[in-house]
Amino acid sequence: MIVTISREFGSGGRELGKRLADTLRIPCYDHELIEEVARQHGMSISEVESISEQDIRICYPKTIGNRFSLVRRVNSDAVDVASCMQGVIRRLASSGDCVIVGRCADVILKDRNPFCIFVYADDSSRLQRCRKRAPKGEDFSDSELRRRIRQIDQERAAYRALFTEAGWGEKESYHLCINTSGREIKTLVPALAAYVRLWYMQ
Amino acid sequence: MIVTISREFGSGGRELGKRLADTLRIPCYDHELIEEVARQHGMSISEVESISEQDIRICYPKTIGNRFSLVRRVNSDAVDVASCMQGVIRRLASSGDCVIVGRCADVILKDRNPFCIFVYADDSSRLQRCRKRAPKGEDFSDSELRRRIRQIDQERAAYRALFTEAGWGEKESYHLCINTSGREIKTLVPALAAYVRLWYMQ
């Protein structure tokens, strides 16, 4: 039983992954992945975080002469970290049932047929969730927060583009897409756990 | 408990709706909607079917002078039928728990907070499902069948555009999107029924 969670920023996907794993009584790997990569790479956690979240960029179509061309500029440290992360994910998944949050685990583990979930929500729910869990003293305006949400989603999409042509958040890539708008995550988990259990019993 | 099913053609959404309703022990309205509209309108079932499936068209952006404009050409019989269908759906939903397949019931019943599902599948699963349930003697090539699938999906999207700006199949419009690729519908239903029951218990 391998469940992967991809998620829009502020949709509650991380909480959903954690609670789902607790209900299924299997481990959830989320920040643990970063910690393991840092350990293997001899980097600090914050270095790995900043690399995996910020240093991968894709430049969308660019004109060269008369032709359009997709140009990718990718930081090589970021590729090293992504590659190490891939190894960590493969190793953890082969050691037993688990839930993995983010980091393109759905694509990396494709050959193991994971159950792939995408978690999303409407704008106002995402804003509200971000405000609720913001560190003390953070005081973004709504438009700043919206920009930040968009930016993180773009970074996730760019990270995904390292591994697959299939777009981030395109429902065709997932087995189940869950809208968390206006819902407390904990109210969704028992039903989702039932769904996952029955999926694996077939 | 009102569950609406929107679905790509060939994704098994109709079967899923029927089986889900059976499991939840509530009625499923699908072809019954057409029959009721025909009765109320004094038309034959095939007349209503041909109108609701074929006579609504949207012409996408068209240039008028220097301006782009969205031009809609809508057959007025189709609007009558759609309007009558809307009344039928409202009446059935107010008479008790049910599953409703298609006909934009999710939008029409928005004020009753239905649980909205979108059912989709990859190309090859849809082709295979269409072949399996094709009437005897139907012998489309793969490319003809693909064209037919695309056409029906476009008609559904056009029908939806009569009721809402929110696009057909855009995950944001639904609570749950279910990928049926490579799965027998009946294997998904117990889990989905558990999900719906728990959703309504919260």
Side-chain angles (χ1 to χ4, degrees):
Chain A
M1 193 190 282
I2 297 172
V3 181
T4 67
I5 311 266
S6 310
R7 75 286 184 222
E8 289 180 346
F9 187 70
S11 69
R14 168 175 289 184
E15 183 187 340
L16 187 119
K18 180 77 181 66
R19 287 182 181 273
L20 178 62
D22 287 349
T23 306
L24 296 171
R25 298 174 186 225
I26 59 179
C28 176
Y29 303 121
D30 176 10
H31 203 259
E32 295 79 1
L33 301 170
I34 300 270
E35 288 161 22
E36 182 59 20
V37 170
R39 203 186 56 74
Q40 289 190 15
H41 240 57
M43 283 175 158
S44 72
I45 289 174
S46 63
E47 277 175 305
V48 175
E49 274 177 332
S50 93
I51 284 175
S52 62
E53 287 180 4
Q54 291 169 17
D55 282 358
I56 297 181
R57 289 283 182 280
I58 292 189
C59 301
Y60 275 103
K62 190 178 162 177
T63 316
I64 300 176
N66 287 326
R67 293 176 53 232
F68 276 100
S69 163
L70 192 68
V71 178
R72 291 189 185 179
R73 285 180 305 154
V74 178
N75 176 314
S76 69
D77 274 354
V79 172
D80 283 354
V81 164
S83 156
C84 181
M85 180 68 83
Q86 193 162 355
V88 167
I89 286 173
R90 286 196 165 282
R91 195 174 51 71
L92 287 171
S94 67
S95 72
D97 295 348
C98 59
V99 173
I100 302 181
V101 179
R103 282 98 195 176
C104 297
D106 57 324
V107 184
I108 291 163
L109 300 173
K110 209 176 176 67
D111 54 336
R112 302 182 64 97
N113 293 319
F115 183 72
C116 306
I117 298 173
F118 189 82
V119 186
Y120 62 104
D122 62 26
D123 255 19
S124 70
S125 299
R126 294 167 73 188
L127 277 179
Q128 205 180 340
R129 190 167 277 120
C130 288
R131 292 230 176 276
K132 222 165 142 184
R133 67 176 194 203
K136 222 177 164 177
E138 186 182 279
D139 187 26
F140 289 137
S141 70
D142 275 4
S143 68
E144 281 167 336
L145 201 49
R146 264 197 202 94
R147 198 164 40 243
R148 174 89 185 116
I149 288 174
R150 216 167 30 238
Q151 186 196 341
I152 293 177
D153 281 354
Q154 279 167 359
E155 286 164 5
R156 288 179 179 172
Y159 188 77
R160 188 176 181 83
L162 286 181
F163 298 96
T164 177
E165 294 295 316
W168 176 81
E170 285 172 12
K171 63 184 183 308
E172 290 67 22
S173 305
Y174 310 96
H175 295 107
L176 201 64
C177 303
I178 301 179
N179 190 339
T180 61
S181 305
R183 281 259 152 178
E184 275 197 76
I185 297 299
K186 64 180 175 197
T187 67
L188 296 170
V189 171
L192 180 59
Y195 198 100
V196 174
R197 274 200 196 102
L198 284 160
W199 175 275
Y200 276 102
M201 277 168 61
Q202 303 300 335
Chain B
M1 193 189 282
I2 298 173
V3 181
T4 66
I5 312 266
S6 309
R7 75 286 185 220
E8 290 180 344
F9 187 70
S11 68
R14 169 176 289 186
E15 183 187 341
L16 187 117
K18 181 76 181 66
R19 286 183 182 272
L20 177 63
D22 287 349
T23 306
L24 296 172
R25 299 177 187 221
I26 60 179
C28 176
Y29 302 121
D30 175 9
H31 203 259
E32 296 78 0
L33 300 171
I34 300 269
E35 288 161 22
E36 183 59 19
V37 170
R39 203 186 56 75
Q40 288 191 16
H41 240 58
M43 284 175 158
S44 72
I45 289 173
S46 63
E47 277 175 306
V48 175
E49 275 177 332
S50 91
I51 284 175
S52 62
E53 286 179 6
Q54 291 170 17
D55 282 358
I56 297 182
R57 290 282 181 280
I58 292 190
C59 303
Y60 276 103
K62 192 178 160 180
T63 316
I64 299 176
N66 288 325
R67 294 176 53 233
F68 276 100
S69 162
L70 192 68
V71 178
R72 293 189 182 178
R73 283 182 306 155
V74 179
N75 177 315
S76 67
D77 275 354
V79 173
D80 283 353
V81 164
S83 154
C84 181
M85 179 68 83
Q86 194 163 353
V88 167
I89 287 173
R90 286 198 165 280
R91 195 174 51 72
L92 288 171
S94 67
S95 73
D97 295 349
C98 59
V99 173
I100 302 181
V101 179
R103 282 99 197 176
C104 297
D106 57 325
V107 184
I108 290 163
L109 300 173
K110 209 175 178 68
D111 54 334
R112 301 182 66 95
N113 293 320
F115 183 72
C116 307
I117 298 173
F118 189 81
V119 186
Y120 61 104
D122 62 25
D123 255 19
S124 70
S125 299
R126 296 168 72 187
L127 276 179
Q128 205 180 338
R129 190 166 277 120
C130 287
R131 291 229 176 276
K132 222 164 141 185
R133 68 176 192 202
K136 221 176 166 178
E138 186 182 278
D139 188 25
F140 289 137
S141 70
D142 275 3
S143 69
E144 281 168 335
L145 201 49
R146 264 198 201 93
R147 196 162 44 240
R148 173 90 186 118
I149 287 174
R150 215 167 32 238
Q151 186 196 342
I152 293 177
D153 280 354
Q154 280 167 359
E155 285 164 4
R156 288 180 179 171
Y159 188 77
R160 188 174 180 84
L162 285 180
F163 297 97
T164 177
E165 294 295 317
W168 177 81
E170 285 172 12
K171 64 184 182 308
E172 290 69 20
S173 306
Y174 310 95
H175 294 107
L176 201 64
C177 302
I178 300 179
N179 189 339
T180 60
S181 305
R183 280 260 151 179
E184 275 198 77
I185 297 299
K186 65 180 174 196
T187 67
L188 296 171
V189 171
L192 180 60
Y195 197 101
V196 174
R197 273 199 198 101
L198 283 159
W199 175 275
Y200 275 102
M201 277 168 63
Q202 305 297 338

